[in-house]
Amino acid sequence: MPDDILEVDSTPAKRPFIEVLVRDIGLLAAIIDLVDNAVDGARARRAAGETRATAGGSEQTGELEGYRLDIEVSADGLKLRDNCGGISVDDAEEYAFRFGHGAVRGAQRSIGQFGVGMKRAFFKLGEEFRVTSVAKDSRFSLHVNVEEWAQDDTDWKFLLTGVQRGVEQNPAAVGTQIEIAPLLEAAKAELGKATFPLRLKDEIAERHQEAVDDGFLVSVGEMIVPPDPSFLLQSSELVPARVEFSTTPKPGQAPVQVRIVCGIAQSVPGRAGWDVLCNGRAVLRSDQSAVTGWGGDGQQFIPSYHNQFARFRGFVFFDSPDASLVPWTTTKTGLEQDSPVWRAANQRMVSLMRPVIDFLNRLDDETDREAANSTGPTLASLVEEATPVSVSAVAANPTFKYPKGERPPRAGRISYTRPKADIERAKTHLSVSTAREVGEHTFDYWVRSELD
Amino acid sequence: MIVELCGRLASLGVPLARYRYAGMGSIYFVDFLLFHRAFGMADMISIEARDALIARCTANRPLRCIRVEHTDAASFVPGLADGTPTILWLDFDGVLDDDRLDETAQAVATLAAPSVIAITVQANAEREDRRVQSYANRFARRNVPVVNKPEDLSRAKTPGVLYEILAAEIQEAVATRATLEDVAYRQLAYFVYEDGARMLTVVGVLHTQGQTADLAACDFEALSFHRSGAEPFVINVPKLTYRERTAIDRLLPSGDFSAAPAEVERDAVDAYAAVYRHLPFFVDAVL
């Protein structure tokens, strides 16, 4: 080698690598990464044609019925046990314990993508971790003491033990067990709190409601994450919108499927807004911000969220066999807003939500005008008569439909305060009983006198 | 002129009679009559947002096939996402601002390919002391070119500034939509003219990539008023008498203008010759 050339060793040191890896993720999110793996496993098994008997012995129709993940969490450690196919020895060798691997082999719609989630969770939480995996025809165990492993920067190997490859395993034993214990001090303090299991259960519901609604059973201690499927109201006159697109971002890459569904549901302010799901995992729930197209800065096309839109529900599903193509951040808890596929979906979301907003504005006007007493079907009665239909059952329809009828003159609201004594005198003079009527009469009088 | 541009779209394989025409016909419906006479389309919708005008609009419909909808562009445009080829003329009688750009972008996002989008806005220069602030207010939500000097929004420059903003909005909306769908856009015309106020109209066609070759066959370039970029076709209608018009008509097309009435300035003769085929003939009549 010539004198003016110098080789520089870029092999990473383990300890700062570990510290960098865990910096951007919270404890809950780190555990959710482990839940992702179980959901991925269940979906992959199901896609491969496997069916699982439920605990009751009967086969169910829900896509993920029969698959389960049981989590135990305390200051002593974190245990996860699932029956979702296990990690094969081949996969363990090729990607599961390698840093920065590609997509999971054979997965149709995996959540794991960046090749860091499981390892990051181990390093974030524990001083030691143990993995025991039984796949269809292989098994292994792994025990790592992180402190000891971090000592030698030149040896990046993990040692699998009890390895069997090409040996049919007992189907009842198939699955993955993870134990992270003892915990690091920071994790111990947090996971030891009495409220932590509840928070974890809620976070799983927040992120993985779709899988749970599909029949995937998750327990945290004694608690079960409950199914809570989303519904939209539908009738012959109120029809939710559903559009679908498929795009291949770059030639040769996997396709991305985009499905947008929106309409109205029960009036629940906390549930209104857009849900955005990437490969089944929610990255936004009930979003009411400008990120999903709600207005601000005086925008007229879509107004800012207000409780009169508490019936609005929208769902955007991004699905791809290549999880790196769906618009989420590396922590999978946020949306990659600069992603072209997100921007295109967002453009369409805005046009799909506008008719729903128009309908809800009319519904609100109707309430204001007390038109419920008028003859003929009112918008409110149409809502009452509509029936819930699950989001997945909404049929293709390019725009939310509702009976437009005659549009009433647009009304605005004026509100102001005046001395009560004057209002009472005006009531007497006008022979009316409410302050509102005083306001209406006096305004109409001014319009007649000065404008007409 | 827009009718003539649209007529050439027959090369895309959809007969013009099957297009939907959507516009803002007000109480006169001039554009509706022109399109119906030219193509015979029977799906025509006129939108009107003004409460006070809606009854007159409905009563003045000159054709049975025109449906008047009491709505505004923002509510109307998303409903056009039903896959029907459409000629949409958003004839805004006001100024261009963020809200009009939102509506334009949504039209691009929802219309089927092929469809024609025409956008008309005022392009007047404002009072010098108000120009910069008004510009900033109107486009507060967008990254538009920064304007610091009133002279950059002069009468001469205003149409160009507004055109750039409008064209950029359309291009961005097309590019965004093209991520999920096979859609492209080609500008067909950019007019600047006086209609009580100074106005600009940009006309373009949304199409699929597969229709690009068919668009080439439309031979838009053969039309003198076709414009694909930022250089407008300025419609300048000279004031001519009936006698002067008919005299010039006899020299058209491509005749020797030296034989035109000598008392009419040559500039006026040229301006008339550029638009004579599309000019209505107004005569005073006492009934």
Side-chain angles (χ1 to χ4, degrees), chain A residues 201-216:
Chain A
K201 187 203 80 163
D202 289 346
E203 184 71 12
I204 293 169
E206 182 85 5
R207 299 293 169 192
H208 280 296
Q209 193 65 55
E210 191 193 40
V212 171
D213 293 342
D214 280 347
F216 188 70

Side-chain angles (χ1 to χ4, degrees), chain A residues 374-390:
Chain A
S374 67
T375 56
T378 61
L379 298 179
S381 66
L382 291 177
V383 172
E384 288 301 313
E385 288 157 14
T387 52
V389 57
S390 97

Side-chain angles (χ1 to χ4, degrees), chain A residues 51-61 65-66:
Chain A
T51 54
R52 277 217 165 249
T54 58
S58 61
E59 224 169 71
Q60 299 293 315
T61 50
E65 291 279 0

Side-chain angles (χ1 to χ4, degrees), chain A residues 245-247 258 296-301 340-341 343-345 347-348 350-351 354-355 358 362 398-399 407-410, chain B residues 49 51 69-72 74-75 78-79 81-82 99-100 102-103 105-106 109-110 141 172-174 176-177 179-181:
Chain A
F245 307 95
S246 178
T247 182
V258 183
D297 303 331
Q299 187 187 339
Q300 285 181 8
F301 199 87
V341 71
R343 293 183 59 226
Q347 181 190 47
R348 202 52 185 268
V350 169
S351 60
R354 171 70 196 217
D358 283 340
R362 287 190 182 204
T399 185
R407 191 172 86 160
R410 278 175 296 181
Chain B
D51 296 334
E69 284 198 17
H70 187 189
T71 187
D72 52 28
S75 292
D82 59 0
D99 293 326
R100 300 295 84 75
D102 286 344
E103 288 153 6
Q106 282 303 316
T110 50
R141 287 192 277 113
E172 188 183 340
V174 171
T176 300
R177 183 176 176 189
T179 304
L180 293 180
E181 296 177 82

